[in-house]
Amino acid sequence: MTNTAMPLHERLRPYRAAFTSRFLQMLQYRTAAYAGFATQCWWGGIKVMVLAAFYAGSAGAGAPMSLAQAITYTWLAQGLLALLPWLGDPEVAQAVRTGAIAYDRMRPVDAYTLWFVRSAGWIAARVLPRLALMLAFAGVALPLAGLGAWAWQPPAGVGAGLAFAASALLALLLSAALVMLLNIAAVAALNERGINALAAPVVIVFSGNLLPLVLLPDAWQTALLLQPLAGVMDIPARIYFGHFAGLQALGGLALQAGWIVLLVVLGRAAMGCTMRRLEVQGG
């Protein structure tokens, strides 16, 4: 039986296995998750205090987002920090350095899809524990401590919560598609350090992690919303708050999905070109 004649679930089995194995492997690094959570709480607290000072002054008057929403946005951004595509997959980078990338070229699977699901598993396993810990701290512990004004507030409604869940899943896929571009750049350059150093500040600013995009100048808003990094953090947050509801929420989800398709097509083309010219090093 040829590969194309196999049932779909059989053809998907190696990719499911790759995602699951990478996800479970990364979940073992609990100390890293706790350390990351503690660091994100520290920086989250600093950012919340800065926002509180901003809103307390005249600069906060007429802001398109309330202080409570800005605080929740901050905790949400800290919880989803590992979702940001500011680093290529270290497994791919190591394979490039050692020459083990040749093995992926010999496997009877699609190399792009294999790397994509591995990267998605790597991202998901880093995000979920930290997000759960952040929600427990900022959404439960702070209100119990009498700091409800500084806490993570619930979504605008049940519909907003469900739409946010769908948007968060699309954000994971979008992040994986962007990480794939970093992976391919690392393969082309035979080193990941340069591209990672360039990607980090761009991703932090244009995803909305540093500051909610809606608080940036009005003249930039259309361009900021349409660029792909908004779909990783800012669009899910706007859906969570109810800023995007109904057709606007559907438009946000469609924008995320559109960028995923476009980046996957671009990534496949770039990977094919890169692999044809690849010279394996290491050993």
Side-chain angles (χ1 to χ4, degrees):
M1 180 183 292
T2 63
N3 188 51
T4 55
M6 287 183 181
L8 179 60
H9 70 278
E10 290 293 336
R11 281 183 279 161
L12 293 179
R13 178 181 294 179
Y15 306 114
R16 289 199 303 268
F19 176 88
T20 303
S21 62
R22 191 71 189 284
F23 181 83
L24 295 176
Q25 177 192 24
M26 293 304 302
L27 283 183
Q28 297 178 28
Y29 298 99
R30 296 183 181 88
T31 302
Y34 295 141
F37 162 68
T39 303
Q40 288 158 221
C41 285
W42 172 263
W43 286 109
I46 292 175
K47 291 168 71 175
V48 165
M49 288 187 284
V50 170
L51 285 169
F54 172 81
Y55 275 81
S58 58
M65 177 183 289
S66 69
L67 176 59
Q69 290 174 336
I71 290 173
T72 299
Y73 189 112
T74 298
W75 295 126
L76 184 61
Q78 293 303 106
L80 295 176
L81 183 66
L83 188 65
L84 299 185
W86 57 5
L87 295 173
D89 188 338
E91 189 176 78
V92 173
Q94 183 179 13
V96 171
R97 289 193 298 270
T98 62
I101 190 174
Y103 296 122
D104 285 342
R105 298 294 294 152
M106 298 172 62
R107 300 180 196 277
V109 293
D110 180 72
Y112 181 91
T113 306
L114 182 65
W115 285 11
F116 186 98
V117 297
R118 281 178 179 170
S119 296
W122 170 63
I123 296 168
R126 292 163 61 232
V127 168
L128 292 177
R130 301 182 192 198
L131 181 62
L133 290 169
M134 189 63 67
L135 181 59
F137 168 73
V140 179
L142 288 183
L144 291 177
L147 299 172
W150 295 60
W152 182 332
Q153 304 299 323
V158 175
L162 294 175
F164 168 75
S167 184
L169 177 58
L170 290 174
L172 170 62
L173 298 176
L174 179 57
S175 180
L178 289 163
V179 166
M180 280 299 299
L181 295 181
L182 298 180
N183 292 341
I184 295 164
V187 173
L190 301 179
N191 191 293
E192 80 285 4
R193 295 191 184 116
I195 188 64
N196 287 345
L198 290 173
V202 174
V203 170
I204 290 173
V205 172
F206 288 99
S207 66
N209 180 269
L210 181 65
L211 187 71
L213 296 184
V214 74
L215 297 182
L216 295 178
D218 292 341
W220 301 359
Q221 290 302 310
T222 300
L224 288 172
L225 181 62
L226 293 178
Q227 50 91 23
L229 289 170
V232 178
M233 177 67 235
D234 196 71
I235 289 176
R238 295 194 197 203
I239 291 175
Y240 184 93
F241 295 132
H243 283 190
F244 287 171
L247 292 178
Q248 283 185 315
L250 290 176
L253 295 174
L255 185 60
Q256 288 178 288
W259 273 117
I260 293 169
V261 172
L262 181 61
L263 292 173
V264 167
V265 171
L266 178 62
R268 279 188 170 277
M271 186 169 184
C273 181
T274 299
M275 289 301 186
R276 282 193 295 270
R277 297 182 296 178
L278 178 65
E279 295 182 7
V280 176
Q281 300 184 13

